[in-house]
Structures are given as C-alpha cells and as structure tokens.
Amino acid sequence: MTSTQSPTAQSRFPAGRLAFPHRDLTGIGQLERHEILYLLDQAEQWVELNRQSTKHADLLAGLTIINAFFENSTRTLLSFEIAGKRLGADVVNMHAAQSSVKKGETLIDTAITLNAMRPDAIVIRHGSSGATQLIADKVDCPVLNAGDGQHEHPTQALLDALALRHKLRERGDSGDDFTGLTITICGDILHSRVARSNILCLQAMGASVRVCAPPALMPSGIDVLGVEPLHDFDAALRNADVVMMLRLQTERMEGQFIPSAREYHHLYGLTNARLAFAAGDAIVMHPGPMNRGVEIDSDVADMLDRSIITQQVEMGVAIRMACLDILTRRVRGVEGWA
Ligand code: ASP
C-alpha cells in the first residue's frame, strides 16, 4: 500500500503538473477533473484498509489535526475524526458550544488562536458561507472545508462520487467517467451546500445534472451552473440514472418555505411509485441526515440493490483519509510534495 501516486492516477493528470497543487480544500469549485480523479484514486487504498480488521496507517504520526465545528454534525465530524486517527494523527475536536465563540470571540480571533497552537491541519464546519476561506487566509496550515453555510461541502461531493463510482464498477462500468449519466438532485436546493458541491463535482465528472425543488427552494439563476432546473418531480425523475435526495434545511430557513412536511412529501417525497419514473435500475443517494417519510420513504432508502446511502457514509472515511494525507504531504516533506 502506498500513500503517494497510484499508476492510474499518475497517468491521469497532465504531464508537468502537480497531482494536487492546492494547500487547502475549500470547495470543489477550485478543482479540475484530474484533481478530483486523483483524490478518488487515492481514497481507494483507504477503502481497502478500512475493510480490514486492523485499520491503522502511521502516515500522520506526530501531526495534530483540529476539527473546529461551529455547527452540529454527526457523520462529517465522526468521519474526519476516524480518518485522522486511522492515519495516526493526534485529533482534537472543538465544538462551538464549548468554545469562546459563545463568549463573543470573532472568527478571525478564533483562527489566530487555533493557529498559535501549531496544528498541521484544521478542518472547519461553519454556518456562514466563506468562513473556511476566511480562516484559511489567517492560518499557516492546510484548511479543509467540512461545510460552510450554503456554499460548499467538498468532501461530501467527493465521497458521493466515490460511492457512485463503486456502484457503477459493481455493474461493470469503469466508474471513472460519468458522461451519459443523468443525475437528479431533489430537495432544498436553495440552502444546500451539498447540492452546490455535487453539481460542480458531477459535472466535472461528465454527468448531466437536473435539480428539482419547489419554486421557493430553488435559487434564482441556478441555470448558470449548467443544470436543468425543474419544479415537477415526476418530470425531473424521468429516465434519471441517479436520484440524490436532500433534506429540508429548516435551520437555514427564515419564515415559511413550504406549506407543510406532509404536502412536501406528497409533491417531492421519493416513494417507490415515484422511483418508477426513473431508469429501471436508478441508484438512490442521500447525504444524511434523512427525514424518512418527508423527502424519502423507508422502502426506497433501504433498497439493498439500489440505495447506496450506507456506502456513502463508508466512503466518507476513505475520502477524508485521502484529503488529510494529500494536504499534509508538504508538511511531512513527502518527496515531490515539499
Ligand atoms: N450533512 C449535510 C450537510 O452538512 C447535509 C445536511 O445536513 O442535510 O450539509
């Protein structure tokens, strides 16, 4: 097992270019297709390791990683923590509820404080769009965006691409090129950083993306991203190869965006009957947390052959291991990266 470059990855990025020239991972918007593929390829070794009974690599031994979470999280926080620990780093979690943020400290002062402790990487989740970049500009180590407001959630999109690639490979496809796939993302597109990061990532991988939401939850001008916006869920599902469902982000809503959860389910909930509008073997995805009976029914979420929701979570650890490994290579003086 090697943490540097797999032969497939090496052959994918243009000659003379670094596989991953960025210090930080703030968004998919900063990445080119070959960089996305490089991250996915690098994650494969960690998928394998994570399936062994002993899951330890000591690549990051002696390094300190701070997970600074200013917003709640289950999957992302745990997964970054497990990823760092499996790579041998010392991982420290900071929750906003227990931090000086509650005492009125500004984000910039918090960043300067974290930086003074000399971490080797900082993982940030924050409720404000752009917060990760603000912190990245103030600190000396790599910064990874674990979700900033409505802006981006890059590791989510990368893990989604990896989970999709695995499913496509199971079906005999290379999974390296999503050209020809129609992917429908349905839900609260307006407030979703997952939607934005996925649109950018899936398109970079070649897919055609449709987005579906009630008018109040569809950002105006979203078509500039090259997606097809639709309000009719049945039309949005027609012949879709992948259906990605999103939760209503009520914590970001000021005022009433939908009449009721029941009405929303009636119009936009993914039921078994509705899934029939999609391609016969359409793959079902959801980033979690799911609200069963609202945006997705249990019999769809739990479909063994079609739903890859659990695999998305599994791939999350591997992708975060790949990101932490790659972004700390300069700090570790890895040959060719220092
Ligand atoms: N877990 C994802 C996020 O942090 C999706 C969600 O919360 O609905 O954005």
Side-chain angles (χ1 to χ4, degrees), residues 12 33 37 40-41 44 161-179 181 205:
R12 281 195 181 121
R33 178 191 154 88
L37 277 170
L40 301 189
D41 287 346
E44 296 294 357
L162 188 62
L164 189 51
R165 166 155 105 168
H166 274 240
K167 189 66 185 173
L168 295 172
R169 284 185 174 174
E170 232 177 79
R171 293 181 177 178
D173 191 283
S174 79
D176 288 341
D177 186 356
F178 296 170
T179 304
L181 288 184
M205 292 289 290

Side-chain angles (χ1 to χ4, degrees), residues 71-76 125 146-149 152-153 156 191-195 245-249 251-252 286-291 295:
E71 244 193 6
N72 291 340
S73 169
T74 308
R75 270 155 288 271
T76 309
R125 166 163 291 195
D148 62 332
E152 277 235 38
H153 192 352
Q156 177 71 49
H191 299 106
S192 176
R193 53 198 176 204
V194 174
M245 299 305 297
L246 302 175
R247 162 183 87 86
L248 291 166
Q249 309 248 318
E251 73 276 24
R252 296 192 210 291
H286 193 305
M290 275 188 282
N291 287 310
E295 75 274 11

Side-chain angles (χ1 to χ4, degrees), residues 7-329:
T8 47
Q10 257 169 341
S11 59
R12 281 195 181 121
F13 52 87
R17 299 272 292 278
L18 262 183
F20 198 84
H22 314 280
R23 188 199 74 164
D24 307 303
L25 178 62
T26 51
I28 298 293
Q30 73 182 105
L31 303 182
E32 294 190 46
R33 178 191 154 88
H34 66 270
E35 293 165 354
I36 294 172
L37 277 170
Y38 184 68
L39 285 164
L40 301 189
D41 287 346
Q42 289 285 297
E44 296 294 357
Q45 64 190 305
W46 307 124
V47 175
E48 271 173 46
L49 180 81
N50 292 339
R51 289 178 177 174
Q52 311 297 314
S53 50
T54 305
K55 308 168 181 60
H56 229 271
D58 276 332
L59 289 184
L60 306 196
L63 266 52
T64 305
I65 297 171
I66 300 180
N67 291 326
F69 276 57
F70 299 86
E71 244 193 6
N72 291 340
S73 169
T74 308
R75 270 155 288 271
T76 309
L77 177 59
L78 267 181
S79 153
F80 265 112
E81 182 173 1
I82 291 172
K85 285 185 170 160
R86 287 194 182 156
L87 290 174
D90 296 317
V91 182
V92 184
N93 294 336
M94 188 203 90
H95 302 275
Q98 299 143 15
S99 74
S100 291
V101 174
K102 291 273 170 217
K103 300 180 187 167
E105 186 173 77
T106 66
L107 187 55
I108 290 180
D109 282 333
T110 304
I112 293 168
T113 303
L114 296 181
N115 194 48
M117 296 181 196
R118 297 188 169 273
D120 299 291
I122 302 179
V123 180
I124 307 275
R125 166 163 291 195
H126 199 282
S128 302
S129 306
T132 314
Q133 190 59 57
L134 192 77
I135 292 183
D137 292 341
K138 295 285 166 208
V139 301
D140 300 313
C141 66
V143 170
L144 292 91
N145 184 359
D148 62 332
Q150 297 163 215
H151 175 229
E152 277 235 38
H153 192 352
T155 55
Q156 177 71 49
L158 291 165
L159 73 88
D160 288 340
L162 188 62
L164 189 51
R165 166 155 105 168
H166 274 240
K167 189 66 185 173
L168 295 172
R169 284 185 174 174
E170 232 177 79
R171 293 181 177 178
D173 191 283
S174 79
D176 288 341
D177 186 356
F178 296 170
T179 304
L181 288 184
T182 299
I183 303 184
T184 298
I185 305 178
C186 178
D188 182 355
I189 308 292
L190 180 67
H191 299 106
S192 176
R193 53 198 176 204
V194 174
R196 189 181 170 79
S197 290
N198 260 299
I199 290 168
L200 298 171
C201 187
L202 295 168
Q203 287 180 334
M205 292 289 290
S208 300
V209 181
R210 293 177 188 156
V211 289
C212 178
L217 294 175
M218 183 76 86
S220 61
I222 191 157
D223 41 325
V224 298
L225 291 180
V227 295
E228 188 186 355
L230 294 154
H231 301 305
D232 177 343
F233 192 23
D234 295 345
L237 285 172
R238 202 148 294 134
N239 300 324
D241 301 293
V242 179
V243 185
M244 184 182 290
M245 299 305 297
L246 302 175
R247 162 183 87 86
L248 291 166
Q249 309 248 318
T250 44
E251 73 276 24
R252 296 192 210 291
M253 294 182 190
E254 280 170 24
Q256 187 95 8
F257 281 78
I258 54 156
S260 67
R262 202 173 146 167
E263 168 102 10
Y264 182 82
H265 176 262
H266 177 65
L267 291 172
Y268 294 99
L270 188 62
T271 60
N272 222 334
R274 258 214 173 97
L275 188 58
F277 285 103
D281 54 356
I283 296 165
V284 175
M285 303 179 75
H286 193 305
M290 275 188 282
N291 287 310
R292 291 172 182 262
V294 182
E295 75 274 11
I296 191 164
D297 277 5
S298 282
D299 49 359
V300 179
D302 300 334
M303 276 179 166
L304 282 180
D305 52 335
R306 312 263 297 268
S307 163
I308 59 167
I309 296 170
T310 311
Q311 288 85 332
Q312 289 172 260
V313 179
E314 181 191 4
M315 296 302 147
V317 178
I319 274 293
R320 285 157 185 143
M321 289 172 84
C323 293
L324 290 172
D325 164 25
I326 292 167
L327 291 180
T328 57
R329 283 183 192 167

